[in-house]
Amino acid sequence: MSPIIPESNDNVNHCREQQQEAVLELVHTIMHQYKSRQFQALRDGQHELTHMEAKVLGYFGHHPGATQSDLSRHSGRDKAQLARLITALRERGLLQGEADAADRRNTRLSLTDAGRAIQQAAQREAEILNALAVRGMSAQQQQALLALLQQVKLNLNQD
């Protein structure tokens, strides 16, 4: 019978570091899988949206009358990139703009009826994918996972 050798602090710390790395690598892998499935659904759908187009439609669907600057602050995306996306969505008849009454330099954006229909279809696809992602988890497990991920986010937001 071989003697039990206590683990050194170096071994324990190394295992802990590996576990921490594995957790965040798994979060990254899951998001890659999720986005890949989402891109496929958007690409293969009848509306052929890009991921960012769907995000922009979703934002203005939830924030009608918001501005491009509002979207930029919310998303952290470059204003020039968003301007091109918004222009393309307006040209496709999915977004409409109206000058801000208080500041005519700002344009308040909202979905057109066609944009709303596409955004709702994309939302339904997202709901199907979300349900697939948590299939087999109880409500308590989902809540625990959500709390843990919120803690990770909080930790990363701290200085």
Side-chain angles (χ1 to χ4, degrees):
M1 185 163 27
S2 61
I4 298 175
I5 302 171
E7 287 194 55
S8 71
N9 282 343
D10 288 343
N11 286 343
V12 171
N13 288 338
H14 180 69
C15 288
R16 185 175 300 129
E17 289 170 6
Q18 285 181 324
Q19 189 173 11
Q20 290 168 348
E21 184 177 325
V23 167
L24 293 178
E25 185 63 31
L26 184 57
V27 169
H28 173 78
T29 299
I30 290 167
M31 284 310 304
H32 178 73
Q33 286 177 306
Y34 180 88
K35 286 185 175 195
S36 177
R37 297 282 298 264
Q38 191 177 44
F39 292 155
Q40 182 181 359
L42 291 170
R43 210 177 32 248
D44 296 345
Q46 69 185 53
H47 306 294
E48 297 182 17
L49 290 177
T50 67
H51 174 70
M52 276 307 298
E53 288 171 336
K55 292 293 245 185
V56 169
L57 291 178
Y59 178 79
F60 288 111
H62 290 94
H63 303 92
T67 66
Q68 177 183 323
S69 293
D70 296 333
L71 175 60
S72 180
R73 276 191 298 279
H74 172 79
S75 68
R77 298 282 180 165
D78 176 60
K79 285 185 181 183
Q81 177 191 22
L82 293 175
R84 288 187 297 274
L85 275 168
I86 288 169
T87 297
L89 291 169
R90 289 181 76 176
E91 288 172 354
R92 288 173 62 186
L94 304 178
L95 274 180
Q96 60 191 4
E98 184 177 313
D100 186 318
D103 184 350
R104 309 274 308 156
R105 294 172 295 175
N106 284 328
T107 301
R108 299 279 170 191
L109 298 160
S110 59
L111 299 177
T112 62
D113 290 341
R116 191 171 300 101
I118 290 172
Q119 188 271 329
Q120 289 171 348
Q123 181 63 38
R124 284 190 297 277
E125 287 293 326
E127 289 167 3
I128 291 168
L129 186 55
N130 292 345
L132 175 65
V134 296
R135 181 177 56 199
M137 288 185 199
S138 69
Q140 288 174 321
Q141 289 172 318
Q142 291 177 44
Q143 185 59 40
L145 178 59
L146 181 60
L148 291 169
L149 291 172
Q150 287 172 334
Q151 182 64 52
V152 170
K153 182 180 179 198
L154 180 67
N155 291 345
L156 293 173
N157 282 337
Q158 292 178 355
D159 293 328

